Amino acid sequence: QKFAELIIACFILVSICEIFFSSLVPAFLAGSSASAISISTYFSTLAQIPQVIRENDSRYINLPMVSVTLLNALIWTSYAVL
């Protein structure tokens, strides 16, 4: 219950920040969509962690989702470096 509330609070905070710091509507819509997708991929993986720790079994972690999330982080890191 508290974890779901934390996820919703983080999403709302990011959305509010984007509203105040964005001056272009198309860029805001694209950024909001990208942020929502990015946040959902990170939190969907994190939601499995308590079950993995409780049962000491990593089969609950979705490997394709983790791979896509890692690839996303690498792309953003390379973009930031350039």
Side-chain angles (χ1 to χ4, degrees), residues 11-25 27-29 31-32 35:
F11 182 72
I12 291 171
L13 180 64
V14 168
S15 298
I16 290 171
C17 289
E18 286 182 352
I19 289 170
F20 286 114
F21 294 117
S22 178
S23 61
L24 303 172
V25 173
F28 169 72
L29 293 175
S32 296
S35 293

Side-chain angles (χ1 to χ4, degrees), residues 31-54:
S32 296
S33 301
S35 293
I37 292 169
S38 181
I39 288 170
S40 67
T41 60
Y42 287 119
F43 281 123
S44 66
T45 305
L46 287 176
Q48 304 303 322
I49 297 298
Q51 189 171 13
V52 169
I53 293 172
R54 195 174 332 120

